Amino acid sequence: MKSTAIIGLALLFMVWLWLAWMLLAYGGVTLKNLLLLAMTAVIIFVPLLKKYGIGAKNSKK
């Protein structure tokens, strides 16, 4: 994985983590908020990890 992709994923993860903290801090820890966080994590990170992850087809060996 290229270093620019790693930096981009790390930045995206930090922004998502900050927004998740804001949601839980101001909205409370409820089942609705936890499910919302899980769904957004799947929507954001699963396609990116499939594209840039360790098991990516276009990774160099």
Side-chain angles (χ1 to χ4, degrees):
M1 187 182 321
K2 294 183 181 179
S3 61
T4 55
I6 293 172
I7 292 170
L9 288 173
L11 183 63
L12 181 65
F13 178 73
M14 288 189 300
V15 169
W16 179 85
L17 196 62
W18 176 70
L19 290 172
W21 176 77
M22 295 288 285
L23 176 68
L24 293 177
Y26 294 112
V29 180
T30 63
L31 181 61
K32 177 184 172 185
N33 289 342
L34 292 175
L35 288 174
L36 181 66
L37 288 178
M39 287 186 285
T40 58
V42 168
I43 289 170
I44 292 172
F45 294 114
V46 168
L48 290 175
L49 290 177
K50 282 185 180 180
K51 183 175 181 180
Y52 296 115
I54 295 171
K57 292 179 183 177
N58 60 356
S59 64
K60 295 179 182 177
K61 293 182 180 179

